[in-house]
Amino acid sequence: MARWKLTVEYDGRPYQGWQLQPHGPSVQACVEEAIRRFSGETVRVHAAGRTDAGVHGLGQVCHFDLEKPTKADTVRDALNFHLRPEPVVVVKAEAVADDFHARLSCKGRAYLYRIVNRRAPLALDIGRAWHVPVALDADAMNEGAQRLVGHHDFTSFRASICQAKSPVKTLSLVTVSRVGEEIHMVARARSFLHHQIRNMIGTLRLVGEGKWTPDDVTKVLEARSRAAAGQTAPPDGLYFTEAWYE
């Protein structure tokens, strides 16, 4: 029996999220089915983070156990063959120690949120970015984002259906920057609350539009009320970019 670690890239638009769902397709189901077709074994795949419906993956990490003797390149190439035509790709396969766990061993996760900030609507990036036609001040948004860095009670940015035991999280980094006609928010933490990033960027959009100030972000954080924050941004622009381990 060998344990395999995969780095997976996927377009989240056709799926109800990473996790297996009774009411629709999931990325996890696609990967598990590809493994079954390749090896003849029925396995359970564990991921570093359970992305929501419509959220994309650039560096999702998962693991599974396999009895079939094989090599890393074979695992990668065989799974990619059996994943076709799904928009899911195994970028890398690695043999890891038996005590490695994609979720439990993870020391941190990183996400990217993309806003396309232009008047013209989207053509190529429909479903892959949030289109905001009103001009945004990325510097003001970044100043507001710094109010969120650190150890805080993030109740104001927590979805009502969040199952986390505590609303307290530690954000090690949150930055907002302009890249051409796009606004990028990068966030890094050990873990996040349900919809936390989408609620943060929805709030920071108000700062970018000049409707709120960075000080208002602090007030929202201190309010500890979801009603105090901005809208939940759509899943289109959110990407799971990295999970890291010791």
Side-chain angles (χ1 to χ4, degrees), residues 155-160 199 203 224-232:
T155 297
S156 295
F157 302 96
R158 181 185 192 181
S160 60
N199 291 335
T203 298
R224 299 180 183 179
S225 168
R226 178 66 191 93
Q231 75 176 101
T232 302

Side-chain angles (χ1 to χ4, degrees), residues 159-191:
S160 60
I161 60 175
C162 181
Q163 297 179 353
K165 294 180 180 179
S166 170
V168 177
K169 295 291 178 182
T170 302
L171 297 189
S172 58
L173 176 130
V174 185
T175 63
V176 179
S177 60
R178 177 170 287 279
V179 182
E181 64 183 13
E182 295 192 16
I183 302 288
H184 289 180
M185 182 179 81
V186 175
R188 295 168 65 96
R190 185 178 183 91
S191 62

